[in-house]
Amino acid sequence: MVLFVEYPKCSTCQKAKKWLEENGIEFKDRHILEENPTAEELKAWKEKSGLPLKRFFNTSGMKYKALELKDKLPDMSEEEQFALLAADGMLVKRPVLAGEDFVLTGFREKEWAEKLKLAPNS
């Protein structure tokens, strides 16, 4: 079973959730504001994903822009960035799909299908 971390009002999250359901993927659903990822979780996800930490930030979000993080992140340590992400779920890129040996941020159907080992739609 995979962990699906979402913000229910997010249209991309809704699309991803529908896709998981249509493909019969079992998942644990988690509301990102009610249960924000911890710094420890985020560190483990970054490690598992192989992605740069910046990919875990919701760079198109209002909160990201309001805090002017585009300019501030380069000067912040990784620890400070993890703490920032753990402090506010709206800063986290979503949806997040976390499996035993992978973590994906954002919804790209082809990438999700490959990671979940689904046959491509014919």
Side-chain angles (χ1 to χ4, degrees):
M1 183 180 308
V2 293
L3 174 64
F4 178 65
V5 184
E6 65 159 333
Y7 178 58
K9 291 180 183 170
C10 159
S11 60
T12 304
C13 294
Q14 292 166 1
K15 185 177 166 186
K17 187 175 192 173
K18 184 176 184 226
W19 183 88
L20 287 170
E21 290 166 346
E22 286 172 352
N23 284 282
I25 306 295
E26 276 192 50
F27 62 93
K28 177 180 187 268
D29 198 355
R30 184 162 138 194
H31 189 307
I32 201 157
L33 291 184
E34 292 172 1
E35 196 182 338
N36 195 45
T38 64
E40 289 69 34
E41 250 180 328
L42 289 157
K43 286 175 191 173
W45 290 352
K46 177 188 178 283
E47 189 80 20
K48 223 186 272 191
S49 72
L51 295 170
L53 184 53
K54 187 178 190 311
R55 290 280 301 275
F56 283 87
F57 279 89
N58 179 12
T59 56
S60 58
M62 289 185 288
K63 196 70 157 256
Y64 182 89
K65 291 174 180 164
L67 293 172
E68 299 176 346
L69 292 177
K70 182 179 178 220
D71 301 322
K72 293 177 182 170
L73 285 183
D75 298 326
M76 292 173 76
S77 71
E78 234 180 45
E79 285 301 314
E80 290 171 317
Q81 291 181 44
F82 280 122
L84 191 59
L85 284 168
D88 190 338
M90 294 309 277
L91 290 173
V92 179
K93 173 86 173 160
R94 52 192 187 268
V96 174
L97 190 67
E100 227 162 273
D101 58 352
F102 68 88
V103 173
L104 302 172
T105 61
F107 177 58
R108 286 175 293 289
E109 194 174 315
K110 187 177 184 284
E111 184 183 33
W112 284 35
E114 285 169 7
K115 285 292 182 194
L116 294 167
K117 296 168 180 57
L118 296 177
N121 288 338
S122 44

